[in-house]
Amino acid sequence: MITFLISLVALVLGYVIYGKVIERVFMPDNRPTPAISKADGIDYIVLPGWKIFMIQFLNIAGTGPIFGAIMGAKFGPSAYLWIVFGCIFAGAVHDYLSGMLSVRHGGAGLPELVGIYLGQKTKKVMLVFSVFLLVMVGAVFVYSPALILGEICGDSLTWVYAWCIIIFVYYFFATMLPIDKIIGKIYPVFAFAMLFMAVALLVVLLLKWPSLPELTDGLDNMNPSLGTIFPCLFITIACGAISGFHATQSPLMARCMAHEKQGRPLFYGAMITEGIVALIWATISSYFFYGGGAQDMGVSLSLQAPEVVTTVSRDWLGLVGSILALLGVVAAPITSGDTALRSARLIIAEFIHLEQRTIRKRMYICVPLFAFTLLLLWFNIADEDGFNIIWGYFGWANQTLAVFTLWSITVYLVRKNKPFIVTLFPAIFMTSVCVSFILVSKNSFGFDTTVGYVAAVCSAVLSLVLFGLWYVKYKKSVIKQ
């Protein structure tokens, strides 16, 4: 528990100290935000700061900081280091600067920002990449909560299909309607429920004060069956440390901010809050798997992440915990799915320059978008391993998206003559993680871990060299001008 407390304090100090450093790097000012200059009553609407924070937190969180932390904690105490350092120096920086870049570019989506700073060819790749990733999120987060709700209603496929239809219909309206009509009203409630659950579990955790594996015990991999710590841990724990998915969600709130100085609490702060949630669940998971928690609760160590959430919440928080657990494993993924598809609509609209004020123009995009989502949903249901296949690709695609985002921000900082080192090293590190993972993952090439390590070093060196060459060329062009 000492490691947990130190990590908790570190995250808070990270927001207070390093968050201010990053804010000074960007230098927010009093220029009109997109919510004011481009107000349309649909996607560009000024919302109260507290509401934007709650929506942003739920947008980027969902089940990510819970499920990822539970699975990642199986690796051992090294999970604490990744959550803390990843969140402070990579994830929160990634979220803040990508969100503020969107604000400075009129609420632009991620592919548009990538196109501005990495070129139009990369923009086209990112358009396909981002939309496919968001549709995968939408498809996965229809079926997984439908399964749970189906079991509650009678454990039959009929109920599962019925809930799929209900959730899918909800997605359609949440994607089509103005952001303040559904998302602006229900998200803060669900976000409060998730935060309340985390705080309540934190209190119980402190009262129990279980004996857990500490950093002083070493950083050995406590569960080699999950893969090596590098790169597998850094893909498994994504939302609690750094996640490219966040950069597709931040523009939704960038279009609702009244002024730029809201950015640090809304973007950097939401990511630190997510890191704290991940930290709590990683500690609970450590107790469950390695501190005798499963035995104390009378359940098997083989439980999957959603089952761990339900079991711990019921055992520690009783009836309230059961309700909160249901919100955590049902409502949270649904709220991730609807904003994912809303982001996809806006990204496509931005690319084809189709205004979204009128319902008819929104329908032009939503109909084919939802048809494609239905196709993936059908695959998810028809293939018994469909969920694992889609989710496996999502995990890697998610972190690869973060790589593109970090490099785009780095180029922006260079062009603005700002300290680009704050994103350069996270960009290089995540590049090596993604290259290594795609080579050693069993679902892709499945090479020996040595190949992955060599590839990680080579990709880090190569990306640094290529950046250095571009940097020298760029500086020469600036001097000539």
Side-chain angles (χ1 to χ4, degrees):
M1 287 292 289
I2 300 299
T3 300
F4 167 70
L5 291 180
I6 293 173
S7 300
L8 189 62
V9 171
L11 283 176
V12 175
L13 291 177
Y15 172 76
V16 174
I17 300 172
Y18 200 65
K20 284 186 179 179
V21 171
I22 299 302
E23 184 179 49
R24 287 172 184 167
V25 167
F26 186 81
M27 295 179 63
D29 55 35
N30 295 318
R31 72 184 69 189
T33 61
I36 296 171
S37 62
K38 300 175 69 174
D40 63 359
I42 305 296
D43 300 302
Y44 294 82
I45 301 174
V46 173
L47 294 177
W50 69 270
K51 185 172 285 191
I52 299 176
F53 174 86
M54 288 297 202
I55 297 173
Q56 173 70 5
F57 169 68
L58 199 62
N59 273 356
I60 65 174
T63 56
I66 300 176
F67 292 175
I70 290 172
M71 293 184 288
K74 291 182 179 181
F75 285 94
S78 54
Y80 287 111
L81 292 179
W82 174 229
I83 291 173
V84 172
F85 289 107
C87 192
I88 295 172
F89 297 106
V93 175
H94 166 280
D95 287 13
Y96 174 75
L97 292 176
S98 64
M100 295 308 293
L101 261 187
S102 179
V103 173
R104 285 282 172 92
H105 289 83
L110 181 60
E112 189 69 23
L113 295 175
V114 170
I116 293 171
Y117 295 104
L118 298 185
Q120 291 304 304
K121 289 183 180 179
T122 310
K123 173 185 175 179
K124 292 175 182 177
V125 172
M126 283 304 298
L127 174 74
V128 176
F129 200 81
S130 299
V131 171
F132 189 67
L133 177 73
L134 293 168
V135 170
M136 279 197 292
V137 172
V140 167
F141 287 159
V142 170
Y143 191 51
S144 55
L147 279 174
I148 297 170
L149 292 169
E151 290 178 5
I152 294 173
C153 293
D155 197 18
S156 70
L157 280 178
T158 303
W159 276 111
V160 173
Y161 294 150
W163 278 110
C164 279
I165 294 171
I166 292 170
I167 295 170
F168 207 78
V169 169
Y170 161 76
Y171 276 5
F172 188 81
F173 283 107
T175 303
M176 286 284 295
L177 292 174
I179 197 166
D180 61 333
K181 299 304 181 187
I182 295 181
I183 292 174
K185 286 184 170 60
I186 67 171
Y187 267 49
V189 176
F190 289 145
F192 175 79
M194 181 175 283
L195 290 172
F196 179 81
M197 177 171 65
V199 172
L201 291 172
L202 171 61
V203 171
V204 176
L205 197 59
L206 292 174
L207 291 174
K208 283 183 174 290
W209 198 263
S211 177
L212 304 174
E214 304 279 358
L215 283 173
T216 51
D217 297 325
L219 298 177
D220 293 339
N221 188 348
M222 298 179 68
N223 200 326
S225 63
L226 297 174
T228 54
I229 289 178
F230 183 92
C232 298
L233 171 64
F234 303 95
I235 296 292
T236 303
I237 299 181
C239 290
I242 181 172
S243 168
F245 175 70
H246 297 184
T248 67
Q249 301 303 291
S250 293
L252 293 179
M253 293 301 97
R255 301 177 179 110
C256 299
M257 292 167 53
H259 51 83
E260 285 192 350
K261 291 184 180 178
Q262 290 178 310
R264 185 165 74 96
L266 298 181
F267 296 125
Y268 199 100
M271 183 61 215
I272 291 293
T273 304
E274 183 176 9
I276 291 173
V277 172
L279 198 65
I280 292 169
W281 276 104
T283 306
I284 291 171
S285 179
S286 182
Y287 164 63
F288 186 88
F289 292 109
Y290 302 120
Q295 184 178 358
D296 292 344
M297 298 175 198
V299 295
S300 170
L301 282 169
S302 62
L303 292 185
Q304 299 299 309
E307 296 169 312
V308 173
V309 173
T310 304
T311 301
V312 172
S313 299
R314 286 175 180 171
D315 190 82
W316 287 9
L317 304 179
L319 178 61
V320 174
S322 300
I323 296 171
L324 291 173
L326 186 64
L327 286 173
V329 297
V330 174
I334 291 174
T335 53
S336 292
D338 61 10
T339 49
L341 292 173
R342 188 181 188 94
S343 297
R345 169 176 69 81
L346 291 166
I347 287 172
I348 295 170
E350 190 172 51
F351 183 75
I352 63 177
H353 305 292
L354 185 67
E355 61 86 10
Q356 295 290 281
R357 288 176 182 267
T358 59
I359 293 179
R360 181 167 56 88
K361 296 293 178 63
R362 278 174 263 157
M363 288 288 288
Y364 287 162
I365 298 174
C366 281
V367 170
L369 180 66
F370 274 76
F372 183 46
T373 308
L374 270 175
L375 184 64
L376 273 183
L377 177 60
W378 172 81
F379 172 73
N380 197 348
I381 297 172
D383 190 314
E384 63 179 14
D385 201 36
F387 175 87
N388 292 330
I389 292 173
I390 292 176
W391 191 253
Y393 282 111
F394 167 75
W396 174 80
N398 183 29
Q399 299 300 58
T400 302
L401 206 62
V403 170
F404 281 99
T405 305
L406 287 168
W407 282 116
S408 298
I409 298 169
T410 302
V411 171
Y412 162 79
L413 294 175
V414 170
R415 290 184 182 179
K416 296 297 181 180
N417 201 29
K418 296 176 182 290
F420 58 85
I421 196 169
V422 297
T423 54
L424 176 62
F425 285 114
I428 292 172
F429 178 74
M430 290 309 299
T431 299
S432 65
V433 166
C434 290
V435 170
S436 178
F437 184 79
I438 198 66
L439 291 175
V440 303
S441 173
K442 295 178 182 178
N443 292 326
S444 53
F445 294 101
F447 289 131
D448 185 76
T449 53
T450 304
V451 175
Y453 293 150
V454 172
V457 173
C458 291
S459 61
V461 172
L462 180 61
S463 59
L464 181 59
V465 170
L466 290 175
F467 172 78
L469 293 173
W470 171 84
Y471 181 79
V472 171
K473 183 179 179 181
Y474 173 76
K475 284 298 182 180
K476 286 182 179 177
S477 67
V478 171
I479 293 173
K480 289 181 180 179
Q481 293 175 0

